[in-house]
Amino acid sequence: ILEKILHDITIKGITTGYIHEPARTGKTAIYIDFIRHYFHYLRDELHLGKRVFIIVPSVILMSQIPDEIEKFFPQVSIGAYYGWEKNLHADVVVMTYASFNKLVEKGTIRPENKECLILDEAHEALSDLRQDLIGRFTQSIRLGGTATSELWDERTVEALLQHQYHRMSILQAVEYGLIAPYHVIYVLTDTDLS
């Protein structure tokens, strides 16, 4: 998966895209591997910014990602930006979409710095404001991950990130042993649930 992403970025010049996989199948591991490559050669080869921003929908998710990065790639400094911590000087900064919105609107994070954006739960970036702010980073690598690429109101991750780097269905995840097998039981009832 990572090889395809790196090929699409370095050879085809496709620097905006997303991964669609079921929950708990390894998107965070792909992010970490990608960050390793970003700091080892992508950043210099493509003349990109010095930081990677990982943007998540909630503070709860903010605590999980730094631990995983430290475990597998301890060479980078990791910071967070939210209510309790305001560290924007680390190599990798984890923040919520709400914090990202505020920092871009204030000019603290600027598109012209070409810093990498990793959009965890990228379907959470589909509000009009978030799409507008993320859309300003045309010279940055924008990598999203989602298990829900289409929303009920016709908004899609593809409309925001344009290119699907990789897709794995639930059935494929079961076949690969990444998630538990399941059985569907369909029951008809006369019960009115309204």
Side-chain angles (χ1 to χ4, degrees):
I1 298 167
L2 181 65
E3 290 79 23
K4 181 179 182 332
I5 294 170
L6 294 172
H7 177 268
D8 285 357
I9 291 170
T10 59
I11 305 300
K12 294 183 177 180
I14 302 170
T15 57
T16 298
Y18 68 100
I19 303 159
H20 180 126
E21 288 188 357
R24 311 295 303 164
T25 56
K27 289 183 291 293
T28 302
I30 294 169
Y31 300 157
I32 294 168
D33 242 1
F34 178 80
I35 290 167
R36 183 179 301 123
H37 283 81
Y38 184 83
F39 285 108
H40 282 280
Y41 76 91
L42 275 178
R43 178 176 62 173
D44 294 332
E45 184 177 311
L46 300 177
H47 310 289
L48 297 169
K50 63 181 182 175
R51 295 177 292 187
V52 172
F53 296 116
I54 301 177
I55 308 163
V56 299
S58 68
V59 174
I60 292 169
L61 290 173
M62 286 183 60
S63 63
Q64 298 168 358
I65 292 176
D67 293 341
E68 293 296 311
I69 294 171
E70 285 176 357
K71 189 182 337 177
F72 296 105
F73 191 35
Q75 297 88 346
V76 297
S77 60
I78 302 165
Y81 191 93
Y82 68 111
W84 308 109
E85 183 181 346
K86 306 248 188 276
N87 179 359
L88 290 173
H89 302 291
D91 297 321
V92 178
V93 180
V94 183
M95 67 184 67
T96 63
Y97 282 100
S99 292
F100 177 76
N101 294 354
K102 289 176 190 170
L103 292 168
V104 173
E105 287 179 328
K106 288 191 329 191
T108 306
I109 297 175
R110 297 193 321 258
E112 59 269 19
N113 291 341
K114 302 181 192 177
E115 292 169 311
C116 179
L117 306 181
I118 295 178
L119 310 173
D120 191 38
E121 306 295 341
H123 56 277
E124 294 285 343
L126 296 180
S127 72
D128 291 338
L129 173 63
R130 291 175 182 173
Q131 287 189 67
D132 173 57
L133 295 176
I134 292 163
R136 296 177 190 179
F137 288 78
T138 57
Q139 296 181 315
S140 298
I141 291 177
R142 294 174 286 169
L143 171 63
T146 186
T148 313
S149 61
E150 295 89 22
L151 292 182
W152 56 91
D153 65 355
E154 304 299 320
R155 289 182 284 179
T156 66
V157 172
E158 186 171 11
L160 174 65
L161 298 177
Q162 296 128 17
H163 179 73
Q164 188 177 85
Y165 289 124
H166 171 73
R167 182 179 189 93
M168 179 188 301
S169 69
I170 292 173
L171 182 58
Q172 288 170 316
V174 170
E175 289 170 354
Y176 299 151
L178 297 173
I179 60 177
Y182 59 92
H183 300 281
V184 176
I185 300 172
Y186 183 70
V187 178
L188 290 174
T189 175
D190 293 330
T191 305
D192 182 3
L193 299 176
S194 60

